Every structure is written in C-alpha cells, then in structure tokens.
Amino acid sequence: MSNVTTHYGSDGIVERILAAIPDAKIDALDARQLYPFDQLHGRELIATKDHAARLAPSSSDHILDIGSGIGGPARFLASTYGCAVDGVDLTRAFVDASAQLTKLSGLSEKVRFHEADATRLPFADDKFDAAICFYVGMNIADKPAVIGQAFRVLKPGGKLIWTEAVLTGGEPYYPLPWAVSPATSHLVDRSALKTLFVDAGFRIDEIIDETGEHIELALKRANSGILPSPAQQANEIVLGAEFVQRRKNYIRSLSEGKLASLAVIVSKTG
C-alpha cells in the first residue's frame, strides 16, 4: 500500500488548485469551480456526470466513494443531488486536501473523508445506498477483498459503479497514470474482473466498454488547438508534470488494443 501513497501523495495540493482557479474567492468558493481540477479519473468530469446520472441518487441517499482522491466526484454528487457521501482513500495528502476543499466549498455537512484501507472499510454492514469506485482498481492487489467490502457495506439492492482499465492484448506502455511499472500495476482482463464481482455475490447489471470514448476525447483535445487541455492541466497541477507522458502512454495503449476501459455496474442481491 505504501507504493500507492508514494505514487500519488504530495504537499500543497489545495494551494496549487486555488492558484489555478481564475478569480477564486476563498470565502465563497463554489464546488463547480473545482470541477476542472478535482476529477482525477478517466474522462474526468464527463465520466463523473455520466455515472452519477446512472446512479441518480435521491437527497436522502448515502453514497460511498472508494478511492476518493481529492474528493471531486463526492462533491459533485453532494452538490448536484443533495445526497450524503463518505469517501475513503489511502493517501493522507488526498484526504487532507479533500477535507479542505470541501470545507471551502461549503459541503462539509454532506461530505466526509477518511484515511482508510478499502480492504478493511471502517463502516457497518448495509450502511450505504450506493457506491462508486473510479479508476482505483488498477492499484488494488487484493481486488476480492475490496469488492467484498463494497458488498458488505452496501444495503440490499444497492448499486456499485466501478470503472477500471483492463488488459486486452499484451503489455501496455509504461509509465501509466496509476503506475510507473508493471510491479505496481494490478491489471486483470475483462473476464477475470467480471468473475470477481460475481464471486462476491453481486449481480452484473451492465458492463460498458468506454474505450472509444476515451480515445475520441483525447483526439478531440489534441485537434482543438488548445494544448494542454484544462483537464490535463488539472492533472499536472495535482499529480505533477510527468502525468502528461503517462496519459499519452495510456491513450496509446487503448488505441493499440493493449488496454480497454470498462464501467462495471453491479447490484447487491438479497
């Protein structure tokens, strides 16, 4: 787990983001001002909107965000739908930044963050109405444990949306956004990932291949004449300048059929 925290952790995240927001008023920050900078997963805000719409939570729902990063999807859900969200992440710097940004945007009563290991979630059984896990699985060695924990803490009928890059044909190009080398990258293929959810007791509702959308978005940005894109700038701001090459390797791996990007939508039976 220390490899994960070392890979992502850094100081000064909040300060770098606030410095990048045009005309930011710290005493009156809107969560929407953070969206170009706090959606640290594949397709960024576009994907967050898509998957949040699939969940369509009510204001009384309680959502779990597994691997919550700096809190972007959690704040989006709370701000857009009025639901409560708990986020968990291994990286202390991310948890601290999440809490600070959430307080600045006035959402602390709705959204909370915890430094926790997703293989041992600090929550009671049957607590959450739904859960999300966006592009975290590639860093998880013990996927059965995390998926099993998600099943445990969801209420019966609760839905989980899990997005992950999977192997499709040969070794991808490293370094990638989530790992410098194969030693810290825990990729599986589509069939193996599906089996993990079934074995945990989940019902598979839908598996969506989002590879084409990732490639199309990258091409659109490259052809726009605006480089780097706001999203790429955001990832550089939070994760460092080397992220640009990592993302290029990711898109190349998708384009050459070495990786695919999947959204797995499952429900807890019973």
mmCIF file of all heavy atoms in Angstrom, residues 46-90:
data_model
loop_
_atom_site.group_PDB
_atom_site.id
_atom_site.type_symbol
_atom_site.label_atom_id
_atom_site.label_comp_id
_atom_site.label_asym_id
_atom_site.label_seq_id
_atom_site.Cartn_x
_atom_site.Cartn_y
_atom_site.Cartn_z
ATOM 1 N N ILE A 46 -16.671 14.531 -17.391
ATOM 2 C CA ILE A 46 -17.635 13.893 -18.300
ATOM 3 C C ILE A 46 -18.070 12.547 -17.724
ATOM 4 O O ILE A 46 -19.259 12.216 -17.684
ATOM 5 C CB ILE A 46 -17.023 13.708 -19.703
ATOM 6 C CG1 ILE A 46 -16.710 15.070 -20.322
ATOM 7 C CG2 ILE A 46 -17.958 12.905 -20.605
ATOM 8 C CD1 ILE A 46 -15.895 14.970 -21.606
ATOM 9 N N ALA A 47 -17.101 11.748 -17.286
ATOM 10 C CA ALA A 47 -17.419 10.440 -16.714
ATOM 11 C C ALA A 47 -18.177 10.581 -15.401
ATOM 12 O O ALA A 47 -19.125 9.819 -15.139
ATOM 13 C CB ALA A 47 -16.145 9.634 -16.508
ATOM 14 N N THR A 48 -17.779 11.530 -14.566
ATOM 15 C CA THR A 48 -18.481 11.730 -13.303
ATOM 16 C C THR A 48 -19.954 12.015 -13.548
ATOM 17 O O THR A 48 -20.833 11.438 -12.892
ATOM 18 C CB THR A 48 -17.853 12.888 -12.507
ATOM 19 O OG1 THR A 48 -16.476 12.593 -12.237
ATOM 20 C CG2 THR A 48 -18.579 13.104 -11.188
ATOM 21 N N LYS A 49 -20.241 12.886 -14.495
ATOM 22 C CA LYS A 49 -21.637 13.211 -14.822
ATOM 23 C C LYS A 49 -22.382 11.993 -15.347
ATOM 24 O O LYS A 49 -23.520 11.724 -14.945
ATOM 25 C CB LYS A 49 -21.686 14.342 -15.855
ATOM 26 C CG LYS A 49 -21.291 15.704 -15.314
ATOM 27 C CD LYS A 49 -21.372 16.756 -16.416
ATOM 28 C CE LYS A 49 -21.091 18.148 -15.873
ATOM 29 N NZ LYS A 49 -21.148 19.179 -16.961
ATOM 30 N N ASP A 50 -21.747 11.254 -16.252
ATOM 31 C CA ASP A 50 -22.377 10.063 -16.833
ATOM 32 C C ASP A 50 -22.749 9.049 -15.758
ATOM 33 O O ASP A 50 -23.875 8.541 -15.707
ATOM 34 C CB ASP A 50 -21.439 9.397 -17.842
ATOM 35 C CG ASP A 50 -21.310 10.163 -19.148
ATOM 36 O OD1 ASP A 50 -22.096 11.114 -19.363
ATOM 37 O OD2 ASP A 50 -20.423 9.814 -19.952
ATOM 38 N N HIS A 51 -21.783 8.735 -14.898
ATOM 39 C CA HIS A 51 -22.008 7.687 -13.908
ATOM 40 C C HIS A 51 -22.915 8.162 -12.771
ATOM 41 O O HIS A 51 -23.701 7.367 -12.224
ATOM 42 C CB HIS A 51 -20.681 7.174 -13.375
ATOM 43 C CG HIS A 51 -19.821 6.573 -14.439
ATOM 44 N ND1 HIS A 51 -20.314 5.689 -15.371
ATOM 45 C CD2 HIS A 51 -18.498 6.737 -14.751
ATOM 46 C CE1 HIS A 51 -19.346 5.325 -16.194
ATOM 47 N NE2 HIS A 51 -18.242 5.948 -15.839
ATOM 48 N N ALA A 52 -22.828 9.431 -12.422
ATOM 49 C CA ALA A 52 -23.743 9.972 -11.413
ATOM 50 C C ALA A 52 -25.184 9.895 -11.908
ATOM 51 O O ALA A 52 -26.100 9.577 -11.136
ATOM 52 C CB ALA A 52 -23.369 11.409 -11.078
ATOM 53 N N ALA A 53 -25.393 10.152 -13.194
ATOM 54 C CA ALA A 53 -26.738 10.059 -13.764
ATOM 55 C C ALA A 53 -27.251 8.623 -13.735
ATOM 56 O O ALA A 53 -28.450 8.381 -13.562
ATOM 57 C CB ALA A 53 -26.730 10.581 -15.198
ATOM 58 N N ARG A 54 -26.347 7.662 -13.890
ATOM 59 C CA ARG A 54 -26.751 6.252 -13.806
ATOM 60 C C ARG A 54 -27.176 5.886 -12.384
ATOM 61 O O ARG A 54 -28.089 5.090 -12.190
ATOM 62 C CB ARG A 54 -25.612 5.342 -14.274
ATOM 63 C CG ARG A 54 -25.329 5.446 -15.762
ATOM 64 C CD ARG A 54 -24.271 4.445 -16.219
ATOM 65 N NE ARG A 54 -24.146 4.458 -17.668
ATOM 66 C CZ ARG A 54 -23.147 5.050 -18.340
ATOM 67 N NH1 ARG A 54 -22.168 5.630 -17.668
ATOM 68 N NH2 ARG A 54 -23.130 5.037 -19.648
ATOM 69 N N LEU A 55 -26.512 6.478 -11.395
ATOM 70 C CA LEU A 55 -26.920 6.248 -10.004
ATOM 71 C C LEU A 55 -28.194 7.012 -9.678
ATOM 72 O O LEU A 55 -29.066 6.500 -8.974
ATOM 73 C CB LEU A 55 -25.823 6.688 -9.036
ATOM 74 C CG LEU A 55 -24.625 5.779 -8.816
ATOM 75 C CD1 LEU A 55 -23.715 6.374 -7.749
ATOM 76 C CD2 LEU A 55 -25.040 4.369 -8.422
ATOM 77 N N ALA A 56 -28.276 8.251 -10.146
ATOM 78 C CA ALA A 56 -29.425 9.130 -9.879
ATOM 79 C C ALA A 56 -29.870 9.063 -8.421
ATOM 80 O O ALA A 56 -31.015 8.730 -8.122
ATOM 81 C CB ALA A 56 -30.590 8.767 -10.817
ATOM 82 N N PRO A 57 -28.974 9.387 -7.495
ATOM 83 C CA PRO A 57 -29.337 9.274 -6.078
ATOM 84 C C PRO A 57 -30.361 10.323 -5.664
ATOM 85 O O PRO A 57 -30.460 11.395 -6.254
ATOM 86 C CB PRO A 57 -28.004 9.505 -5.369
ATOM 87 C CG PRO A 57 -27.219 10.358 -6.318
ATOM 88 C CD PRO A 57 -27.616 9.898 -7.691
ATOM 89 N N SER A 58 -31.121 9.997 -4.632
ATOM 90 C CA SER A 58 -32.029 10.973 -4.036
ATOM 91 C C SER A 58 -31.280 11.748 -2.959
ATOM 92 O O SER A 58 -30.184 11.366 -2.549
ATOM 93 C CB SER A 58 -33.236 10.264 -3.425
ATOM 94 O OG SER A 58 -32.841 9.544 -2.266
ATOM 95 N N SER A 59 -31.893 12.810 -2.473
ATOM 96 C CA SER A 59 -31.239 13.635 -1.455
ATOM 97 C C SER A 59 -31.099 12.898 -0.126
ATOM 98 O O SER A 59 -30.292 13.281 0.717
ATOM 99 C CB SER A 59 -32.022 14.930 -1.246
ATOM 100 O OG SER A 59 -33.353 14.643 -0.841
ATOM 101 N N SER A 60 -31.852 11.817 0.049
ATOM 102 C CA SER A 60 -31.764 11.055 1.296
ATOM 103 C C SER A 60 -30.765 9.908 1.210
ATOM 104 O O SER A 60 -30.518 9.231 2.216
ATOM 105 C CB SER A 60 -33.144 10.496 1.669
ATOM 106 O OG SER A 60 -33.611 9.603 0.665
ATOM 107 N N ASP A 61 -30.170 9.683 0.049
ATOM 108 C CA ASP A 61 -29.243 8.570 -0.131
ATOM 109 C C ASP A 61 -27.880 8.867 0.481
ATOM 110 O O ASP A 61 -27.456 10.029 0.595
ATOM 111 C CB ASP A 61 -29.061 8.247 -1.613
ATOM 112 C CG ASP A 61 -30.216 7.425 -2.171
ATOM 113 O OD1 ASP A 61 -31.017 6.897 -1.380
ATOM 114 O OD2 ASP A 61 -30.314 7.316 -3.410
ATOM 115 N N HIS A 62 -27.191 7.802 0.848
ATOM 116 C CA HIS A 62 -25.845 7.871 1.412
ATOM 117 C C HIS A 62 -24.932 7.066 0.500
ATOM 118 O O HIS A 62 -25.125 5.860 0.315
ATOM 119 C CB HIS A 62 -25.845 7.300 2.826
ATOM 120 C CG HIS A 62 -24.620 7.598 3.609
ATOM 121 N ND1 HIS A 62 -24.447 7.221 4.928
ATOM 122 C CD2 HIS A 62 -23.463 8.247 3.274
ATOM 123 C CE1 HIS A 62 -23.271 7.626 5.358
ATOM 124 N NE2 HIS A 62 -22.647 8.240 4.373
ATOM 125 N N ILE A 63 -23.942 7.730 -0.081
ATOM 126 C CA ILE A 63 -23.083 7.139 -1.100
ATOM 127 C C ILE A 63 -21.673 6.952 -0.546
ATOM 128 O O ILE A 63 -21.162 7.800 0.194
ATOM 129 C CB ILE A 63 -23.012 8.035 -2.365
ATOM 130 C CG1 ILE A 63 -24.407 8.488 -2.794
ATOM 131 C CG2 ILE A 63 -22.297 7.307 -3.493
ATOM 132 C CD1 ILE A 63 -25.337 7.375 -3.174
ATOM 133 N N LEU A 64 -21.015 5.863 -0.946
ATOM 134 C CA LEU A 64 -19.616 5.614 -0.604
ATOM 135 C C LEU A 64 -18.759 5.793 -1.842
ATOM 136 O O LEU A 64 -19.065 5.255 -2.910
ATOM 137 C CB LEU A 64 -19.454 4.180 -0.075
ATOM 138 C CG LEU A 64 -18.015 3.696 0.156
ATOM 139 C CD1 LEU A 64 -17.346 4.502 1.265
ATOM 140 C CD2 LEU A 64 -17.996 2.198 0.488
ATOM 141 N N ASP A 65 -17.671 6.551 -1.700
ATOM 142 C CA ASP A 65 -16.688 6.715 -2.774
ATOM 143 C C ASP A 65 -15.402 6.018 -2.350
ATOM 144 O O ASP A 65 -14.704 6.478 -1.449
ATOM 145 C CB ASP A 65 -16.443 8.201 -3.038
ATOM 146 C CG ASP A 65 -15.513 8.457 -4.214
ATOM 147 O OD1 ASP A 65 -14.993 7.484 -4.793
ATOM 148 O OD2 ASP A 65 -15.302 9.642 -4.567
ATOM 149 N N ILE A 66 -15.100 4.904 -3.008
ATOM 150 C CA ILE A 66 -13.910 4.102 -2.683
ATOM 151 C C ILE A 66 -12.736 4.599 -3.518
ATOM 152 O O ILE A 66 -12.768 4.559 -4.751
ATOM 153 C CB ILE A 66 -14.164 2.611 -2.980
ATOM 154 C CG1 ILE A 66 -15.359 2.098 -2.178
ATOM 155 C CG2 ILE A 66 -12.915 1.788 -2.671
ATOM 156 C CD1 ILE A 66 -15.826 0.722 -2.595
ATOM 157 N N GLY A 67 -11.702 5.097 -2.850
ATOM 158 C CA GLY A 67 -10.582 5.714 -3.556
ATOM 159 C C GLY A 67 -10.969 7.104 -4.022
ATOM 160 O O GLY A 67 -10.956 7.408 -5.208
ATOM 161 N N SER A 68 -11.310 7.956 -3.070
ATOM 162 C CA SER A 68 -11.972 9.230 -3.368
ATOM 163 C C SER A 68 -11.043 10.326 -3.870
ATOM 164 O O SER A 68 -11.509 11.420 -4.206
ATOM 165 C CB SER A 68 -12.724 9.727 -2.125
ATOM 166 O OG SER A 68 -11.911 9.671 -0.972
ATOM 167 N N GLY A 69 -9.723 10.072 -3.923
ATOM 168 C CA GLY A 69 -8.813 11.072 -4.476
ATOM 169 C C GLY A 69 -8.875 12.368 -3.710
ATOM 170 O O GLY A 69 -8.813 12.387 -2.480
ATOM 171 N N ILE A 70 -9.041 13.475 -4.423
ATOM 172 C CA ILE A 70 -9.159 14.768 -3.742
ATOM 173 C C ILE A 70 -10.624 15.213 -3.647
ATOM 174 O O ILE A 70 -10.910 16.383 -3.422
ATOM 175 C CB ILE A 70 -8.283 15.858 -4.390
ATOM 176 C CG1 ILE A 70 -8.650 16.086 -5.852
ATOM 177 C CG2 ILE A 70 -6.807 15.510 -4.252
ATOM 178 C CD1 ILE A 70 -7.987 17.324 -6.447
ATOM 179 N N GLY A 71 -11.534 14.256 -3.834
ATOM 180 C CA GLY A 71 -12.933 14.492 -3.473
ATOM 181 C C GLY A 71 -13.842 15.024 -4.553
ATOM 182 O O GLY A 71 -14.998 15.349 -4.265
ATOM 183 N N GLY A 72 -13.369 15.109 -5.787
ATOM 184 C CA GLY A 72 -14.187 15.691 -6.848
ATOM 185 C C GLY A 72 -15.520 15.003 -7.074
ATOM 186 O O GLY A 72 -16.582 15.657 -7.022
ATOM 187 N N PRO A 73 -15.540 13.693 -7.354
ATOM 188 C CA PRO A 73 -16.825 13.025 -7.562
ATOM 189 C C PRO A 73 -17.754 13.104 -6.351
ATOM 190 O O PRO A 73 -18.967 13.258 -6.502
ATOM 191 C CB PRO A 73 -16.414 11.582 -7.862
ATOM 192 C CG PRO A 73 -15.064 11.706 -8.486
ATOM 193 C CD PRO A 73 -14.409 12.808 -7.713
ATOM 194 N N ALA A 74 -17.199 13.010 -5.147
ATOM 195 C CA ALA A 74 -18.025 13.094 -3.935
ATOM 196 C C ALA A 74 -18.690 14.462 -3.836
ATOM 197 O O ALA A 74 -19.892 14.566 -3.539
ATOM 198 C CB ALA A 74 -17.168 12.823 -2.702
ATOM 199 N N ARG A 75 -17.928 15.528 -4.077
ATOM 200 C CA ARG A 75 -18.519 16.869 -4.025
ATOM 201 C C ARG A 75 -19.541 17.057 -5.143
ATOM 202 O O ARG A 75 -20.576 17.701 -4.940
ATOM 203 C CB ARG A 75 -17.423 17.937 -4.100
ATOM 204 C CG ARG A 75 -16.672 18.137 -2.791
ATOM 205 C CD ARG A 75 -15.713 19.308 -2.855
ATOM 206 N NE ARG A 75 -14.626 19.063 -3.790
ATOM 207 C CZ ARG A 75 -13.481 18.451 -3.476
ATOM 208 N NH1 ARG A 75 -13.291 18.008 -2.245
ATOM 209 N NH2 ARG A 75 -12.544 18.272 -4.380
ATOM 210 N N PHE A 76 -19.259 16.502 -6.321
ATOM 211 C CA PHE A 76 -20.218 16.615 -7.425
ATOM 212 C C PHE A 76 -21.548 15.965 -7.041
ATOM 213 O O PHE A 76 -22.620 16.544 -7.255
ATOM 214 C CB PHE A 76 -19.667 15.957 -8.690
ATOM 215 C CG PHE A 76 -20.627 15.992 -9.846
ATOM 216 C CD1 PHE A 76 -20.636 17.076 -10.725
ATOM 217 C CD2 PHE A 76 -21.540 14.973 -10.046
ATOM 218 C CE1 PHE A 76 -21.544 17.126 -11.775
ATOM 219 C CE2 PHE A 76 -22.446 15.015 -11.091
ATOM 220 C CZ PHE A 76 -22.450 16.095 -11.960
ATOM 221 N N LEU A 77 -21.497 14.764 -6.488
ATOM 222 C CA LEU A 77 -22.722 14.061 -6.105
ATOM 223 C C LEU A 77 -23.501 14.856 -5.059
ATOM 224 O O LEU A 77 -24.725 15.026 -5.173
ATOM 225 C CB LEU A 77 -22.376 12.679 -5.560
ATOM 226 C CG LEU A 77 -22.000 11.618 -6.592
ATOM 227 C CD1 LEU A 77 -21.322 10.433 -5.916
ATOM 228 C CD2 LEU A 77 -23.233 11.157 -7.369
ATOM 229 N N ALA A 78 -22.814 15.345 -4.040
ATOM 230 C CA ALA A 78 -23.486 16.082 -2.976
ATOM 231 C C ALA A 78 -24.063 17.401 -3.482
ATOM 232 O O ALA A 78 -25.203 17.764 -3.154
ATOM 233 C CB ALA A 78 -22.518 16.339 -1.824
ATOM 234 N N SER A 79 -23.290 18.112 -4.286
ATOM 235 C CA SER A 79 -23.724 19.406 -4.788
ATOM 236 C C SER A 79 -24.869 19.273 -5.787
ATOM 237 O O SER A 79 -25.801 20.087 -5.793
ATOM 238 C CB SER A 79 -22.540 20.130 -5.448
ATOM 239 O OG SER A 79 -22.932 21.377 -5.965
ATOM 240 N N THR A 80 -24.817 18.242 -6.626
ATOM 241 C CA THR A 80 -25.804 18.079 -7.696
ATOM 242 C C THR A 80 -27.081 17.415 -7.222
ATOM 243 O O THR A 80 -28.187 17.805 -7.612
ATOM 244 C CB THR A 80 -25.198 17.260 -8.851
ATOM 245 O OG1 THR A 80 -23.991 17.877 -9.282
ATOM 246 C CG2 THR A 80 -26.164 17.153 -10.016
ATOM 247 N N TYR A 81 -26.947 16.398 -6.367
ATOM 248 C CA TYR A 81 -28.104 15.594 -5.971
ATOM 249 C C TYR A 81 -28.524 15.777 -4.516
ATOM 250 O O TYR A 81 -29.584 15.291 -4.126
ATOM 251 C CB TYR A 81 -27.808 14.114 -6.229
ATOM 252 C CG TYR A 81 -27.623 13.789 -7.689
ATOM 253 C CD1 TYR A 81 -26.362 13.787 -8.267
ATOM 254 C CD2 TYR A 81 -28.716 13.490 -8.500
ATOM 255 C CE1 TYR A 81 -26.179 13.491 -9.614
ATOM 256 C CE2 TYR A 81 -28.551 13.201 -9.849
ATOM 257 C CZ TYR A 81 -27.274 13.195 -10.396
ATOM 258 O OH TYR A 81 -27.108 12.907 -11.731
ATOM 259 N N GLY A 82 -27.702 16.435 -3.723
ATOM 260 C CA GLY A 82 -28.053 16.678 -2.332
ATOM 261 C C GLY A 82 -27.842 15.503 -1.408
ATOM 262 O O GLY A 82 -28.230 15.554 -0.234
ATOM 263 N N CYS A 83 -27.218 14.429 -1.911
ATOM 264 C CA CYS A 83 -27.000 13.233 -1.098
ATOM 265 C C CYS A 83 -25.782 13.404 -0.184
ATOM 266 O O CYS A 83 -24.965 14.299 -0.381
ATOM 267 C CB CYS A 83 -26.817 12.012 -2.000
ATOM 268 S SG CYS A 83 -25.512 12.190 -3.238
ATOM 269 N N ALA A 84 -25.676 12.515 0.795
ATOM 270 C CA ALA A 84 -24.504 12.479 1.662
ATOM 271 C C ALA A 84 -23.487 11.509 1.064
ATOM 272 O O ALA A 84 -23.852 10.491 0.477
ATOM 273 C CB ALA A 84 -24.891 12.030 3.055
ATOM 274 N N VAL A 85 -22.200 11.825 1.213
ATOM 275 C CA VAL A 85 -21.139 10.990 0.652
ATOM 276 C C VAL A 85 -20.021 10.828 1.665
ATOM 277 O O VAL A 85 -19.597 11.803 2.298
ATOM 278 C CB VAL A 85 -20.559 11.590 -0.647
ATOM 279 C CG1 VAL A 85 -19.578 10.603 -1.292
ATOM 280 C CG2 VAL A 85 -21.663 11.965 -1.637
ATOM 281 N N ASP A 86 -19.563 9.588 1.822
ATOM 282 C CA ASP A 86 -18.336 9.312 2.567
ATOM 283 C C ASP A 86 -17.294 8.821 1.575
ATOM 284 O O ASP A 86 -17.563 7.898 0.796
ATOM 285 C CB ASP A 86 -18.568 8.245 3.634
ATOM 286 C CG ASP A 86 -19.092 8.825 4.928
ATOM 287 O OD1 ASP A 86 -18.264 9.198 5.772
ATOM 288 O OD2 ASP A 86 -20.330 8.908 5.093
ATOM 289 N N GLY A 87 -16.111 9.423 1.608
ATOM 290 C CA GLY A 87 -15.017 8.999 0.749
ATOM 291 C C GLY A 87 -13.903 8.385 1.563
ATOM 292 O O GLY A 87 -13.617 8.839 2.676
ATOM 293 N N VAL A 88 -13.275 7.345 1.008
ATOM 294 C CA VAL A 88 -12.121 6.733 1.663
ATOM 295 C C VAL A 88 -10.947 6.721 0.699
ATOM 296 O O VAL A 88 -11.116 6.493 -0.505
ATOM 297 C CB VAL A 88 -12.410 5.291 2.144
ATOM 298 C CG1 VAL A 88 -13.485 5.297 3.209
ATOM 299 C CG2 VAL A 88 -12.808 4.377 1.002
ATOM 300 N N ASP A 89 -9.761 6.988 1.218
ATOM 301 C CA ASP A 89 -8.552 6.963 0.405
ATOM 302 C C ASP A 89 -7.364 6.624 1.292
ATOM 303 O O ASP A 89 -7.339 6.975 2.477
ATOM 304 C CB ASP A 89 -8.331 8.311 -0.289
ATOM 305 C CG ASP A 89 -7.482 8.178 -1.540
ATOM 306 O OD1 ASP A 89 -6.241 8.050 -1.423
ATOM 307 O OD2 ASP A 89 -8.051 8.178 -2.652
ATOM 308 N N LEU A 90 -6.391 5.947 0.696
ATOM 309 C CA LEU A 90 -5.169 5.580 1.423
ATOM 310 C C LEU A 90 -4.205 6.742 1.591
ATOM 311 O O LEU A 90 -3.370 6.747 2.492
ATOM 312 C CB LEU A 90 -4.431 4.481 0.648
ATOM 313 C CG LEU A 90 -4.716 3.019 0.953
ATOM 314 C CD1 LEU A 90 -3.877 2.149 0.029
ATOM 315 C CD2 LEU A 90 -4.416 2.689 2.406
#
